[in-house]
Amino acid sequence: MKFRCLAAVYLVLIATSANILPAAGSILLPSTYGSNMVLKHSTPQTFWGIAGKGDKVTLTISDKSYSETTPADPDTGRFSFVLPSHPPTKAGDPVVNITVSSSSDGAVSLTDAVWGEVILCGGQSNMAISVQMAMNASWEIEHAGHPNLRLLQ
């Protein structure tokens, strides 16, 4: 009997797994998108995510008053925008705030983003050494002079 109950639960999960997408009104973005992010400058960028199936999705960027609407795929909910090329953010420039909203009233706000150089690094355990562990760490931190440097971990 116990086996039959587990089998029934398993079959229900399999049958409904195709619908495990955001509920109407919710938006999912990749983990690389978030507040304090860096967007690659001087080249168009694809911005994508998942919304409710068939929702109309609007993306608004504060620094250029850019706003565009696209329909989410009716089967998968996937959407994408091609963001226009932007120059790098300079000291004193306003930060970028991005809002992604759907027709089901869901919205995600990303704050304090900048346009800049994106450098991806990969390697061995020596890349886990933080600045606090470097020689003359307090002096290095005090004199770094890179207030817009961001780190995605």
Side-chain angles (χ1 to χ4, degrees):
M1 183 67 176
K2 193 178 212 182
F3 175 78
R4 285 185 185 178
C5 288
L6 288 175
V9 168
Y10 183 70
L11 289 173
V12 169
L13 287 174
I14 289 173
T16 60
S17 65
N19 293 322
I20 300 178
L21 286 174
S26 62
I27 296 170
L28 293 178
L29 298 175
S31 61
T32 52
Y33 296 149
S35 293
N36 305 307
M37 71 177 162
V38 177
L39 294 161
K40 177 75 174 119
H41 71 86
S42 304
T43 184
Q45 299 293 306
T46 300
F47 192 97
W48 60 276
I50 299 174
K53 294 178 180 181
D55 279 1
K56 288 191 174 156
V57 181
T58 301
L59 179 120
T60 305
I61 299 178
S62 63
D63 70 330
K64 298 289 183 187
S65 298
Y66 172 83
S67 183
E68 188 174 328
T69 301
T70 190
D73 185 278
D75 296 324
T76 64
R78 293 181 61 89
F79 65 87
S80 68
F81 296 93
V82 177
L83 305 180
S85 176
H86 284 76
T89 303
K90 294 182 173 63
D93 286 354
V95 294
V96 178
N97 295 311
I98 299 172
T99 303
V100 182
S101 57
S102 76
S103 56
S104 300
D105 296 328
V108 175
S109 294
L110 309 174
T111 60
D112 195 31
V114 295
W115 298 98
E117 201 60 49
V118 176
I119 301 171
L120 300 177
C121 301
Q124 304 277 324
S125 60
N126 62 345
M127 293 193 71
I129 297 172
S130 65
V131 176
Q132 287 84 0
M133 297 170 66
M135 265 174 74
N136 303 318
S138 59
W139 186 90
E140 293 290 347
I141 292 169
E142 185 178 330
H143 293 90
H146 301 289
N148 286 330
L149 189 64
R150 314 287 173 102
L151 176 64
L152 171 69
Q153 292 181 322

mmCIF file with all atom_site columns, all heavy atoms in Angstrom, residues 14-39:
data_model
loop_
_atom_site.group_PDB
_atom_site.id
_atom_site.type_symbol
_atom_site.label_atom_id
_atom_site.label_alt_id
_atom_site.label_comp_id
_atom_site.label_asym_id
_atom_site.label_entity_id
_atom_site.label_seq_id
_atom_site.pdbx_PDB_ins_code
_atom_site.Cartn_x
_atom_site.Cartn_y
_atom_site.Cartn_z
_atom_site.occupancy
_atom_site.B_iso_or_equiv
_atom_site.pdbx_formal_charge
_atom_site.auth_seq_id
_atom_site.auth_comp_id
_atom_site.auth_asym_id
_atom_site.auth_atom_id
_atom_site.pdbx_PDB_model_num
ATOM 1   N N   . ILE A 1 14 ? 5.411  13.989 -11.902 1.00 0.00 ? 14 ILE A N   1
ATOM 2   C CA  . ILE A 1 14 ? 5.851  13.923 -13.291 1.00 0.00 ? 14 ILE A CA  1
ATOM 3   C C   . ILE A 1 14 ? 4.831  14.611 -14.197 1.00 0.00 ? 14 ILE A C   1
ATOM 4   O O   . ILE A 1 14 ? 5.189  15.377 -15.087 1.00 0.00 ? 14 ILE A O   1
ATOM 5   C CB  . ILE A 1 14 ? 6.065  12.458 -13.736 1.00 0.00 ? 14 ILE A CB  1
ATOM 6   C CG1 . ILE A 1 14 ? 7.313  11.895 -13.052 1.00 0.00 ? 14 ILE A CG1 1
ATOM 7   C CG2 . ILE A 1 14 ? 6.205  12.363 -15.252 1.00 0.00 ? 14 ILE A CG2 1
ATOM 8   C CD1 . ILE A 1 14 ? 7.515  10.420 -13.298 1.00 0.00 ? 14 ILE A CD1 1
ATOM 9   N N   . ALA A 1 15 ? 3.564  14.358 -13.968 1.00 0.00 ? 15 ALA A N   1
ATOM 10  C CA  . ALA A 1 15 ? 2.517  14.932 -14.818 1.00 0.00 ? 15 ALA A CA  1
ATOM 11  C C   . ALA A 1 15 ? 2.471  16.447 -14.728 1.00 0.00 ? 15 ALA A C   1
ATOM 12  O O   . ALA A 1 15 ? 2.130  17.131 -15.695 1.00 0.00 ? 15 ALA A O   1
ATOM 13  C CB  . ALA A 1 15 ? 1.165  14.341 -14.436 1.00 0.00 ? 15 ALA A CB  1
ATOM 14  N N   . THR A 1 16 ? 2.800  17.003 -13.576 1.00 0.00 ? 16 THR A N   1
ATOM 15  C CA  . THR A 1 16 ? 2.718  18.454 -13.408 1.00 0.00 ? 16 THR A CA  1
ATOM 16  C C   . THR A 1 16 ? 4.057  19.149 -13.580 1.00 0.00 ? 16 THR A C   1
ATOM 17  O O   . THR A 1 16 ? 4.122  20.372 -13.549 1.00 0.00 ? 16 THR A O   1
ATOM 18  C CB  . THR A 1 16 ? 2.165  18.803 -12.013 1.00 0.00 ? 16 THR A CB  1
ATOM 19  O OG1 . THR A 1 16 ? 3.031  18.253 -11.020 1.00 0.00 ? 16 THR A OG1 1
ATOM 20  C CG2 . THR A 1 16 ? 0.757  18.296 -11.845 1.00 0.00 ? 16 THR A CG2 1
ATOM 21  N N   . SER A 1 17 ? 5.139  18.406 -13.777 1.00 0.00 ? 17 SER A N   1
ATOM 22  C CA  . SER A 1 17 ? 6.459  19.036 -13.843 1.00 0.00 ? 17 SER A CA  1
ATOM 23  C C   . SER A 1 17 ? 6.588  19.989 -15.018 1.00 0.00 ? 17 SER A C   1
ATOM 24  O O   . SER A 1 17 ? 7.365  20.936 -14.971 1.00 0.00 ? 17 SER A O   1
ATOM 25  C CB  . SER A 1 17 ? 7.565  17.981 -13.905 1.00 0.00 ? 17 SER A CB  1
ATOM 26  O OG  . SER A 1 17 ? 7.464  17.248 -15.112 1.00 0.00 ? 17 SER A OG  1
ATOM 27  N N   . ALA A 1 18 ? 5.853  19.792 -16.084 1.00 0.00 ? 18 ALA A N   1
ATOM 28  C CA  . ALA A 1 18 ? 5.916  20.698 -17.233 1.00 0.00 ? 18 ALA A CA  1
ATOM 29  C C   . ALA A 1 18 ? 5.386  22.079 -16.870 1.00 0.00 ? 18 ALA A C   1
ATOM 30  O O   . ALA A 1 18 ? 5.691  23.051 -17.535 1.00 0.00 ? 18 ALA A O   1
ATOM 31  C CB  . ALA A 1 18 ? 5.119  20.122 -18.392 1.00 0.00 ? 18 ALA A CB  1
ATOM 32  N N   . ASN A 1 19 ? 4.608  22.161 -15.815 1.00 0.00 ? 19 ASN A N   1
ATOM 33  C CA  . ASN A 1 19 ? 4.036  23.443 -15.413 1.00 0.00 ? 19 ASN A CA  1
ATOM 34  C C   . ASN A 1 19 ? 4.783  24.088 -14.254 1.00 0.00 ? 19 ASN A C   1
ATOM 35  O O   . ASN A 1 19 ? 4.289  25.030 -13.662 1.00 0.00 ? 19 ASN A O   1
ATOM 36  C CB  . ASN A 1 19 ? 2.563  23.267 -15.037 1.00 0.00 ? 19 ASN A CB  1
ATOM 37  C CG  . ASN A 1 19 ? 1.727  22.908 -16.230 1.00 0.00 ? 19 ASN A CG  1
ATOM 38  O OD1 . ASN A 1 19 ? 1.973  23.423 -17.312 1.00 0.00 ? 19 ASN A OD1 1
ATOM 39  N ND2 . ASN A 1 19 ? 0.779  22.015 -16.051 1.00 0.00 ? 19 ASN A ND2 1
ATOM 40  N N   . ILE A 1 20 ? 5.952  23.591 -13.916 1.00 0.00 ? 20 ILE A N   1
ATOM 41  C CA  . ILE A 1 20 ? 6.718  24.197 -12.833 1.00 0.00 ? 20 ILE A CA  1
ATOM 42  C C   . ILE A 1 20 ? 7.488  25.378 -13.396 1.00 0.00 ? 20 ILE A C   1
ATOM 43  O O   . ILE A 1 20 ? 8.663  25.331 -13.657 1.00 0.00 ? 20 ILE A O   1
ATOM 44  C CB  . ILE A 1 20 ? 7.639  23.185 -12.132 1.00 0.00 ? 20 ILE A CB  1
ATOM 45  C CG1 . ILE A 1 20 ? 6.814  22.054 -11.547 1.00 0.00 ? 20 ILE A CG1 1
ATOM 46  C CG2 . ILE A 1 20 ? 8.444  23.856 -11.030 1.00 0.00 ? 20 ILE A CG2 1
ATOM 47  C CD1 . ILE A 1 20 ? 7.593  20.972 -10.868 1.00 0.00 ? 20 ILE A CD1 1
ATOM 48  N N   . LEU A 1 21 ? 6.759  26.427 -13.658 1.00 0.00 ? 21 LEU A N   1
ATOM 49  C CA  . LEU A 1 21 ? 7.276  27.704 -14.110 1.00 0.00 ? 21 LEU A CA  1
ATOM 50  C C   . LEU A 1 21 ? 6.745  28.730 -13.124 1.00 0.00 ? 21 LEU A C   1
ATOM 51  O O   . LEU A 1 21 ? 5.950  28.403 -12.255 1.00 0.00 ? 21 LEU A O   1
ATOM 52  C CB  . LEU A 1 21 ? 6.774  28.002 -15.524 1.00 0.00 ? 21 LEU A CB  1
ATOM 53  C CG  . LEU A 1 21 ? 7.437  27.199 -16.632 1.00 0.00 ? 21 LEU A CG  1
ATOM 54  C CD1 . LEU A 1 21 ? 6.751  27.495 -17.958 1.00 0.00 ? 21 LEU A CD1 1
ATOM 55  C CD2 . LEU A 1 21 ? 8.912  27.476 -16.727 1.00 0.00 ? 21 LEU A CD2 1
ATOM 56  N N   . PRO A 1 22 ? 7.171  29.974 -13.245 1.00 0.00 ? 22 PRO A N   1
ATOM 57  C CA  . PRO A 1 22 ? 6.677  30.952 -12.293 1.00 0.00 ? 22 PRO A CA  1
ATOM 58  C C   . PRO A 1 22 ? 5.153  31.034 -12.317 1.00 0.00 ? 22 PRO A C   1
ATOM 59  O O   . PRO A 1 22 ? 4.550  30.902 -13.377 1.00 0.00 ? 22 PRO A O   1
ATOM 60  C CB  . PRO A 1 22 ? 7.270  32.266 -12.779 1.00 0.00 ? 22 PRO A CB  1
ATOM 61  C CG  . PRO A 1 22 ? 8.274  31.931 -13.789 1.00 0.00 ? 22 PRO A CG  1
ATOM 62  C CD  . PRO A 1 22 ? 8.044  30.536 -14.236 1.00 0.00 ? 22 PRO A CD  1
ATOM 63  N N   . ALA A 1 23 ? 4.589  31.236 -11.166 1.00 0.00 ? 23 ALA A N   1
ATOM 64  C CA  . ALA A 1 23 ? 3.145  31.464 -11.108 1.00 0.00 ? 23 ALA A CA  1
ATOM 65  C C   . ALA A 1 23 ? 2.859  32.777 -11.803 1.00 0.00 ? 23 ALA A C   1
ATOM 66  O O   . ALA A 1 23 ? 3.741  33.611 -11.963 1.00 0.00 ? 23 ALA A O   1
ATOM 67  C CB  . ALA A 1 23 ? 2.710  31.533 -9.643  1.00 0.00 ? 23 ALA A CB  1
ATOM 68  N N   . ALA A 1 24 ? 1.636  32.957 -12.226 1.00 0.00 ? 24 ALA A N   1
ATOM 69  C CA  . ALA A 1 24 ? 1.277  34.210 -12.887 1.00 0.00 ? 24 ALA A CA  1
ATOM 70  C C   . ALA A 1 24 ? 1.674  35.370 -11.998 1.00 0.00 ? 24 ALA A C   1
ATOM 71  O O   . ALA A 1 24 ? 1.376  35.388 -10.813 1.00 0.00 ? 24 ALA A O   1
ATOM 72  C CB  . ALA A 1 24 ? -0.218 34.235 -13.175 1.00 0.00 ? 24 ALA A CB  1
ATOM 73  N N   . GLY A 1 25 ? 2.364  36.326 -12.582 1.00 0.00 ? 25 GLY A N   1
ATOM 74  C CA  . GLY A 1 25 ? 2.773  37.504 -11.829 1.00 0.00 ? 25 GLY A CA  1
ATOM 75  C C   . GLY A 1 25 ? 4.174  37.434 -11.283 1.00 0.00 ? 25 GLY A C   1
ATOM 76  O O   . GLY A 1 25 ? 4.674  38.415 -10.772 1.00 0.00 ? 25 GLY A O   1
ATOM 77  N N   . SER A 1 26 ? 4.828  36.291 -11.381 1.00 0.00 ? 26 SER A N   1
ATOM 78  C CA  . SER A 1 26 ? 6.196  36.236 -10.874 1.00 0.00 ? 26 SER A CA  1
ATOM 79  C C   . SER A 1 26 ? 7.168  36.160 -12.039 1.00 0.00 ? 26 SER A C   1
ATOM 80  O O   . SER A 1 26 ? 6.848  35.671 -13.113 1.00 0.00 ? 26 SER A O   1
ATOM 81  C CB  . SER A 1 26 ? 6.373  35.048 -9.934  1.00 0.00 ? 26 SER A CB  1
ATOM 82  O OG  . SER A 1 26 ? 6.148  33.841 -10.616 1.00 0.00 ? 26 SER A OG  1
ATOM 83  N N   . ILE A 1 27 ? 8.365  36.671 -11.820 1.00 0.00 ? 27 ILE A N   1
ATOM 84  C CA  . ILE A 1 27 ? 9.397  36.720 -12.848 1.00 0.00 ? 27 ILE A CA  1
ATOM 85  C C   . ILE A 1 27 ? 10.654 36.075 -12.293 1.00 0.00 ? 27 ILE A C   1
ATOM 86  O O   . ILE A 1 27 ? 11.054 36.362 -11.163 1.00 0.00 ? 27 ILE A O   1
ATOM 87  C CB  . ILE A 1 27 ? 9.688  38.182 -13.234 1.00 0.00 ? 27 ILE A CB  1
ATOM 88  C CG1 . ILE A 1 27 ? 8.442  38.816 -13.857 1.00 0.00 ? 27 ILE A CG1 1
ATOM 89  C CG2 . ILE A 1 27 ? 10.876 38.275 -14.174 1.00 0.00 ? 27 ILE A CG2 1
ATOM 90  C CD1 . ILE A 1 27 ? 8.546  40.299 -14.055 1.00 0.00 ? 27 ILE A CD1 1
ATOM 91  N N   . LEU A 1 28 ? 11.276 35.210 -13.080 1.00 0.00 ? 28 LEU A N   1
ATOM 92  C CA  . LEU A 1 28 ? 12.546 34.598 -12.705 1.00 0.00 ? 28 LEU A CA  1
ATOM 93  C C   . LEU A 1 28 ? 13.639 35.138 -13.611 1.00 0.00 ? 28 LEU A C   1
ATOM 94  O O   . LEU A 1 28 ? 13.475 35.162 -14.835 1.00 0.00 ? 28 LEU A O   1
ATOM 95  C CB  . LEU A 1 28 ? 12.491 33.077 -12.837 1.00 0.00 ? 28 LEU A CB  1
ATOM 96  C CG  . LEU A 1 28 ? 11.572 32.328 -11.887 1.00 0.00 ? 28 LEU A CG  1
ATOM 97  C CD1 . LEU A 1 28 ? 11.602 30.831 -12.206 1.00 0.00 ? 28 LEU A CD1 1
ATOM 98  C CD2 . LEU A 1 28 ? 11.988 32.557 -10.453 1.00 0.00 ? 28 LEU A CD2 1
ATOM 99  N N   . LEU A 1 29 ? 14.757 35.562 -13.019 1.00 0.00 ? 29 LEU A N   1
ATOM 100 C CA  . LEU A 1 29 ? 15.910 36.026 -13.777 1.00 0.00 ? 29 LEU A CA  1
ATOM 101 C C   . LEU A 1 29 ? 17.100 35.137 -13.454 1.00 0.00 ? 29 LEU A C   1
ATOM 102 O O   . LEU A 1 29 ? 17.171 34.576 -12.358 1.00 0.00 ? 29 LEU A O   1
ATOM 103 C CB  . LEU A 1 29 ? 16.237 37.477 -13.404 1.00 0.00 ? 29 LEU A CB  1
ATOM 104 C CG  . LEU A 1 29 ? 15.154 38.511 -13.691 1.00 0.00 ? 29 LEU A CG  1
ATOM 105 C CD1 . LEU A 1 29 ? 15.575 39.877 -13.166 1.00 0.00 ? 29 LEU A CD1 1
ATOM 106 C CD2 . LEU A 1 29 ? 14.848 38.591 -15.173 1.00 0.00 ? 29 LEU A CD2 1
ATOM 107 N N   . PRO A 1 30 ? 18.060 35.005 -14.368 1.00 0.00 ? 30 PRO A N   1
ATOM 108 C CA  . PRO A 1 30 ? 19.254 34.213 -14.080 1.00 0.00 ? 30 PRO A CA  1
ATOM 109 C C   . PRO A 1 30 ? 19.995 34.777 -12.864 1.00 0.00 ? 30 PRO A C   1
ATOM 110 O O   . PRO A 1 30 ? 19.908 35.976 -12.571 1.00 0.00 ? 30 PRO A O   1
ATOM 111 C CB  . PRO A 1 30 ? 20.111 34.367 -15.339 1.00 0.00 ? 30 PRO A CB  1
ATOM 112 C CG  . PRO A 1 30 ? 19.184 34.824 -16.397 1.00 0.00 ? 30 PRO A CG  1
ATOM 113 C CD  . PRO A 1 30 ? 18.083 35.575 -15.715 1.00 0.00 ? 30 PRO A CD  1
ATOM 114 N N   . SER A 1 31 ? 20.745 33.934 -12.184 1.00 0.00 ? 31 SER A N   1
ATOM 115 C CA  . SER A 1 31 ? 21.456 34.368 -10.973 1.00 0.00 ? 31 SER A CA  1
ATOM 116 C C   . SER A 1 31 ? 22.540 35.409 -11.267 1.00 0.00 ? 31 SER A C   1
ATOM 117 O O   . SER A 1 31 ? 22.989 36.095 -10.355 1.00 0.00 ? 31 SER A O   1
ATOM 118 C CB  . SER A 1 31 ? 22.074 33.165 -10.260 1.00 0.00 ? 31 SER A CB  1
ATOM 119 O OG  . SER A 1 31 ? 23.011 32.536 -11.109 1.00 0.00 ? 31 SER A OG  1
ATOM 120 N N   . THR A 1 32 ? 22.938 35.564 -12.523 1.00 0.00 ? 32 THR A N   1
ATOM 121 C CA  . THR A 1 32 ? 23.943 36.578 -12.855 1.00 0.00 ? 32 THR A CA  1
ATOM 122 C C   . THR A 1 32 ? 23.351 37.981 -12.907 1.00 0.00 ? 32 THR A C   1
ATOM 123 O O   . THR A 1 32 ? 24.090 38.954 -12.958 1.00 0.00 ? 32 THR A O   1
ATOM 124 C CB  . THR A 1 32 ? 24.612 36.266 -14.209 1.00 0.00 ? 32 THR A CB  1
ATOM 125 O OG1 . THR A 1 32 ? 23.595 36.075 -15.188 1.00 0.00 ? 32 THR A OG1 1
ATOM 126 C CG2 . THR A 1 32 ? 25.476 35.030 -14.112 1.00 0.00 ? 32 THR A CG2 1
ATOM 127 N N   . TYR A 1 33 ? 22.022 38.091 -12.908 1.00 0.00 ? 33 TYR A N   1
ATOM 128 C CA  . TYR A 1 33 ? 21.374 39.393 -12.854 1.00 0.00 ? 33 TYR A CA  1
ATOM 129 C C   . TYR A 1 33 ? 21.005 39.679 -11.406 1.00 0.00 ? 33 TYR A C   1
ATOM 130 O O   . TYR A 1 33 ? 20.406 38.851 -10.739 1.00 0.00 ? 33 TYR A O   1
ATOM 131 C CB  . TYR A 1 33 ? 20.085 39.421 -13.677 1.00 0.00 ? 33 TYR A CB  1
ATOM 132 C CG  . TYR A 1 33 ? 20.255 39.208 -15.167 1.00 0.00 ? 33 TYR A CG  1
ATOM 133 C CD1 . TYR A 1 33 ? 19.256 38.594 -15.897 1.00 0.00 ? 33 TYR A CD1 1
ATOM 134 C CD2 . TYR A 1 33 ? 21.393 39.622 -15.840 1.00 0.00 ? 33 TYR A CD2 1
ATOM 135 C CE1 . TYR A 1 33 ? 19.376 38.407 -17.268 1.00 0.00 ? 33 TYR A CE1 1
ATOM 136 C CE2 . TYR A 1 33 ? 21.520 39.433 -17.202 1.00 0.00 ? 33 TYR A CE2 1
ATOM 137 C CZ  . TYR A 1 33 ? 20.515 38.825 -17.910 1.00 0.00 ? 33 TYR A CZ  1
ATOM 138 O OH  . TYR A 1 33 ? 20.632 38.637 -19.258 1.00 0.00 ? 33 TYR A OH  1
ATOM 139 N N   . GLY A 1 34 ? 21.336 40.861 -10.955 1.00 0.00 ? 34 GLY A N   1
ATOM 140 C CA  . GLY A 1 34 ? 20.977 41.240 -9.597  1.00 0.00 ? 34 GLY A CA  1
ATOM 141 C C   . GLY A 1 34 ? 21.384 42.664 -9.310  1.00 0.00 ? 34 GLY A C   1
ATOM 142 O O   . GLY A 1 34 ? 22.055 43.319 -10.127 1.00 0.00 ? 34 GLY A O   1
ATOM 143 N N   . SER A 1 35 ? 20.997 43.164 -8.167  1.00 0.00 ? 35 SER A N   1
ATOM 144 C CA  . SER A 1 35 ? 21.427 44.493 -7.758  1.00 0.00 ? 35 SER A CA  1
ATOM 145 C C   . SER A 1 35 ? 22.951 44.505 -7.653  1.00 0.00 ? 35 SER A C   1
ATOM 146 O O   . SER A 1 35 ? 23.570 43.485 -7.372  1.00 0.00 ? 35 SER A O   1
ATOM 147 C CB  . SER A 1 35 ? 20.791 44.859 -6.419  1.00 0.00 ? 35 SER A CB  1
ATOM 148 O OG  . SER A 1 35 ? 19.395 44.995 -6.581  1.00 0.00 ? 35 SER A OG  1
ATOM 149 N N   . ASN A 1 36 ? 23.548 45.643 -7.931  1.00 0.00 ? 36 ASN A N   1
ATOM 150 C CA  . ASN A 1 36 ? 25.005 45.856 -7.887  1.00 0.00 ? 36 ASN A CA  1
ATOM 151 C C   . ASN A 1 36 ? 25.754 45.144 -9.011  1.00 0.00 ? 36 ASN A C   1
ATOM 152 O O   . ASN A 1 36 ? 26.955 44.966 -8.946  1.00 0.00 ? 36 ASN A O   1
ATOM 153 C CB  . ASN A 1 36 ? 25.598 45.440 -6.535  1.00 0.00 ? 36 ASN A CB  1
ATOM 154 C CG  . ASN A 1 36 ? 24.929 46.137 -5.391  1.00 0.00 ? 36 ASN A CG  1
ATOM 155 O OD1 . ASN A 1 36 ? 24.833 47.356 -5.376  1.00 0.00 ? 36 ASN A OD1 1
ATOM 156 N ND2 . ASN A 1 36 ? 24.412 45.370 -4.448  1.00 0.00 ? 36 ASN A ND2 1
ATOM 157 N N   . MET A 1 37 ? 25.054 44.735 -10.074 1.00 0.00 ? 37 MET A N   1
ATOM 158 C CA  . MET A 1 37 ? 25.714 44.013 -11.166 1.00 0.00 ? 37 MET A CA  1
ATOM 159 C C   . MET A 1 37 ? 26.414 44.969 -12.122 1.00 0.00 ? 37 MET A C   1
ATOM 160 O O   . MET A 1 37 ? 26.187 46.177 -12.110 1.00 0.00 ? 37 MET A O   1
ATOM 161 C CB  . MET A 1 37 ? 24.714 43.160 -11.928 1.00 0.00 ? 37 MET A CB  1
ATOM 162 C CG  . MET A 1 37 ? 23.741 43.933 -12.779 1.00 0.00 ? 37 MET A CG  1
ATOM 163 S SD  . MET A 1 37 ? 22.675 42.800 -13.683 1.00 0.00 ? 37 MET A SD  1
ATOM 164 C CE  . MET A 1 37 ? 21.361 43.891 -14.109 1.00 0.00 ? 37 MET A CE  1
ATOM 165 N N   . VAL A 1 38 ? 27.276 44.397 -12.955 1.00 0.00 ? 38 VAL A N   1
ATOM 166 C CA  . VAL A 1 38 ? 27.937 45.129 -14.031 1.00 0.00 ? 38 VAL A CA  1
ATOM 167 C C   . VAL A 1 38 ? 27.415 44.575 -15.349 1.00 0.00 ? 38 VAL A C   1
ATOM 168 O O   . VAL A 1 38 ? 27.414 43.367 -15.561 1.00 0.00 ? 38 VAL A O   1
ATOM 169 C CB  . VAL A 1 38 ? 29.471 44.962 -13.963 1.00 0.00 ? 38 VAL A CB  1
ATOM 170 C CG1 . VAL A 1 38 ? 30.133 45.675 -15.136 1.00 0.00 ? 38 VAL A CG1 1
ATOM 171 C CG2 . VAL A 1 38 ? 30.016 45.470 -12.649 1.00 0.00 ? 38 VAL A CG2 1
ATOM 172 N N   . LEU A 1 39 ? 26.955 45.463 -16.212 1.00 0.00 ? 39 LEU A N   1
ATOM 173 C CA  . LEU A 1 39 ? 26.519 45.096 -17.560 1.00 0.00 ? 39 LEU A CA  1
ATOM 174 C C   . LEU A 1 39 ? 27.630 45.493 -18.527 1.00 0.00 ? 39 LEU A C   1
ATOM 175 O O   . LEU A 1 39 ? 28.198 46.583 -18.423 1.00 0.00 ? 39 LEU A O   1
ATOM 176 C CB  . LEU A 1 39 ? 25.227 45.817 -17.916 1.00 0.00 ? 39 LEU A CB  1
ATOM 177 C CG  . LEU A 1 39 ? 24.015 45.423 -17.084 1.00 0.00 ? 39 LEU A CG  1
ATOM 178 C CD1 . LEU A 1 39 ? 22.932 46.482 -17.188 1.00 0.00 ? 39 LEU A CD1 1
ATOM 179 C CD2 . LEU A 1 39 ? 23.499 44.076 -17.541 1.00 0.00 ? 39 LEU A CD2 1
#
